[in-house]
Amino acid sequence: MAEGRGLPYSRAMTLSSSPSSAVALPPVPALVVQAGGGVLLHPDGEIETLAGGRAAESRLNQVRPLVCHRPHAARRLGLAWFAAHDVLELFAFVRPARFCAPTPRGLARVMGLPVPSSTAEEARTLAWAALALLDDLAVLPPGAATTAEARALAHAMAQGGWAWGGPVLAALGGAGEVPPPAALRRALAVWRALPEVEEEAPLPPPGAWPVAPREARARLAALLGTGAETRPQQADYASAVCAAFEPRLQADQPRVVLAEAGTGVGKTLGYIAPASLWAERNEGTVWISTYTRNLQRQLDRELDRLYPEPEEKARQVVVRKGRENYLCLLNLEEAMARVATLPTEAVALGLMARWVRATRDGDIGGGDFPGWLTDLLGTEPTVGLADRRGECLFSACEHVHRCFIERALRRARRARLVVANHALVMVQAALGGLDDDTRPGRYVFDEGHHVFDAADAAFSAHLTAVEAAEVRRWLVGAEAEGGRSRARGLKRRIEGLIDPDGEAAALLTEALEAARSLPGPAWPTRLGGGTARGAVEHFLVEVRAQVLARAAHATGPHSLEVEVRPPAPGLLDSGRAVAAALSEIVVPLKALAGLLAKRLDAEADTLDTATRTRLESMVRSIERRAVVPLSGWQAMAAGLGDPEPPADFVEWLALERIEGREVDVGLHRHWIDPTRPFAQTLGRRAHGLVVTSATLRDGAGEEESTWRAAEARLGLGHLGAPVIRAAVPSPFDYQAATRVLGVTDVSRDEPDQVAAAFRALFMAAGGGALGLFTAVARLKAVHARLAPDLEAAGLPLYAQHVDAMDIGTLIAIFREEEDACLLGTDAVRDGVDVPGRSLRLIVFDRVPWPRPDILHKARRALWGGPAYDDRLTRLRLKQAFGRLVRRAGDRGVFVMLDPRFPSRLGSAFPPGVAIERVGLAEAVAIVREHES
């Protein structure tokens, strides 16, 4: 319905330059959504409000409005989809490989437009941003090859139904023109424009010269530049870290530094200083590993100080992730081939082609790939183009010399600093080396408190339906998937390496036939319907039956787990059958890999480089992708009859559910202490290790006991080497800048009370608030009660698991929007780095105790019972509290709504910051006063 009038949007209000007369917006309104409704601003200034539901869907499909992040808008209006001109799609076409927070204010900041402060201004901003982007296209040189390529792509996208096709073609001077087929083929074959990766001679081993503390201090001063704030703590930290870059004195005993640096010390530059010096002096490489991709991006930005020239930085610094994070050019080519018969796919693939031409390194899991592009276009044509299932053809692929993965691997061998993540480092350690079997000698583990969790994930084994089906897919290839799958299977990948009539081919056939005992397509239907096929599916039926028979609350919506022992008779019998079936796959695969390895030796003097590389890669792939997991599962299944699992392990059965829907089932095995294999596979082989964080110790008890607990948690005692400890306190005055409140009169089990408390606290802070939850269901319940009132008060509310955005995008919005509020779980707590006023209040719904599952039960028994629970909880609280103050001048309040918040957890907070027990009304007053 029409509500009134506002200022119209027009070109005069947009730009002061004289853009092409061909540039014009479609005559459609601009849409801004809020909780429960939306506002349409028409070009003539008319304002129209929309409620959610079918009426809104019909109206929006009629007017096809300008919008920012259509999936998010649709979710807020309660719709699945609606026709629209998404300004983010236009942004991705015009400014590929560039990020903006996907909101009107985010667009305004990146594009240099006035930042809107009202709903109507946000709507106008969408129009202004779209006009500015079209103007960028209008000034491109009309005869340039890149302009012709953009016109051809835009034409294909317009043919596919892209709403922006007409305006973009008009801006590019291509309206009414039909590019020749050859031009379209060239535009889609974007990989041909990428530079080729060149072969280089192998490097000699690095030296072992140390870095003196005075040298590290001097390098740090140079990185900071003249006039930088003096921080003696940072220089002390850099000096302490130098010990990890001393030459090791004995094999299997690395130099180890365990360094805790309080927030604000500047630990990143503190370890970059000695690490970069060591790498330069010794012509070697230091791997810097952090926990999340978001933190990798932050680290990469910090390295601009060390290498301000982009070309030099590209040579000296490489950001490394797993293969599944890089776009696969063969997958892209196969997807592009479908455009001729499925024109609608041209929209997504055209935007991907624009990104491929602009990307720095092809990192589709972060880097310069905007996470919201997957929200807009879907998984299959974006991150689905990565090699997520280990199906690389290696040197048999026609794109190998332009491959993003190959480029990253080769650059990493010669780089001085490699910025990795814990998951990659741990997986490669578990598999015995990097993709090319190289082993770095020097590591810095930033966010070191997560080393345990990363090792736990890498060194565990899961005989589950999902995992087993993936191995079958890797071996057999696509089956009954309508011809759309890119799964190639081992037979396709090994073509040309074996005689099709020889022994290796016979072994391959034997293995592939045996692999059909693994779960195949449509396994979920068969497991629940009693029509299992093959030994593994029959085993999983028995696993499911035991879980449902023994678990408490088996009929609820949540995931279930039970002890393995004593196994039901059916589980025991089917386990023996699984062990035998898996052996029938493993034996021929091992023999096949052996024949390939023998060929490497027998033909060493005649093999060309490409074939040798391909053979080596195939041997590694068979071992890592099939033999290792299958052998582990075989041992797990065969051991079900033993009275106990192997020493040092814990096993359980689980039925995984998402919102009541069964998604996986199987047998799990974890190390009780996963740092033992970490120490053996990586730690002892390294020459130097720095493990650093702001939250290594929980602050409880005497100093020596806290250090011992940290060393035990990180597995440093398994290295057999002395550990140098360093603790550098934060320079911040937390007592003056922060408050910690424990609210005593809110019932944590009453959603209405909890939501009311969040509402009052968030409004008292005026936004800039982060709500942390220990359960997704409670987060959603609070969000539903909270959103309308906050939006009405002008405080945007975003939520993990609710909004149609990935977590990185949500955090980026939260950082940009000073008065926004964000609800999230553990991933938000660990990933938020938001300095300034954008984060000034943290509210926990309840104490974040460890989940009392079977795995935790075993670790709790090993590491101190209730004291272990308290230690983990204190570390979580300490990590969350550390988000509040990121730089000098920051202030904030930490609130726990759980009345059962025990005082013994208070050591998680800095000295002098005590827990204040207050009622909700007093807490609200304190927050309001602190904010003022």
Side-chain angles (χ1 to χ4, degrees), residues 33 50 65 173 192 259 305 364 476 529 533 541 579 622 729 744 816 830-831 856 869 871:
V33 297
L50 290 175
R192 293 176 182 163
R305 293 174 179 262
I364 208 166
V476 177
R533 299 176 189 167
V541 168
I622 292 173
T744 59
E816 291 274 352
D830 294 329
H856 179 70
D869 294 338
R871 185 160 58 250

Side-chain angles (χ1 to χ4, degrees), residues 94-265:
V94 179
R95 301 188 181 187
R98 298 273 298 276
F99 181 82
C100 71
T103 65
R105 282 191 282 267
L107 279 166
R109 289 189 180 95
V110 167
M111 299 184 64
L113 299 172
V115 178
S117 58
S118 69
T119 299
E121 288 181 7
E122 288 184 11
R124 280 193 294 275
T125 296
L126 296 182
W128 300 347
L131 279 169
L133 290 168
L134 292 171
D135 280 339
D136 286 350
L137 295 178
V139 298
L140 292 177
T146 53
T147 306
E149 180 183 292
R151 277 198 298 266
L153 282 175
H155 177 78
M157 294 166 70
Q159 293 293 105
W162 192 34
W164 287 109
V168 166
L169 284 170
L172 289 169
E177 297 181 8
V178 178
L184 178 58
R185 287 194 295 271
R186 283 195 302 271
L188 292 175
V190 65
W191 51 86
R192 293 176 182 163
L194 299 176
E196 291 197 359
V197 180
E198 297 181 353
E199 293 285 346
E200 296 185 75
L203 294 170
W209 293 102
V211 174
R214 59 177 175 76
E215 295 174 308
R217 287 173 179 261
R219 169 59 63 90
L220 176 62
L223 289 173
L224 293 171
T226 57
E229 176 187 356
T230 302
R231 287 192 280 185
Q233 297 97 330
Q234 190 177 31
D236 292 344
Y237 174 86
S239 297
V241 167
C242 288
F245 297 97
E246 295 278 340
R248 70 177 182 181
L249 302 177
Q250 191 172 335
D252 295 337
Q253 288 199 4
R255 297 286 192 169
V256 183
V257 172
L258 182 60
E260 185 173 69
T263 303
V265 165

Side-chain angles (χ1 to χ4, degrees), residues 555-598:
T555 59
H558 304 296
S559 296
L560 305 171
E561 65 177 35
V562 299
E563 301 275 2
V564 175
R565 293 166 179 83
L571 181 67
L572 199 55
D573 292 340
S574 62
R576 295 189 189 100
V578 163
L582 295 177
S583 177
E584 292 177 1
I585 312 173
V586 170
V587 170
L589 284 177
K590 283 185 174 180
L592 174 60
L595 288 178
L596 296 175
K598 285 181 181 179

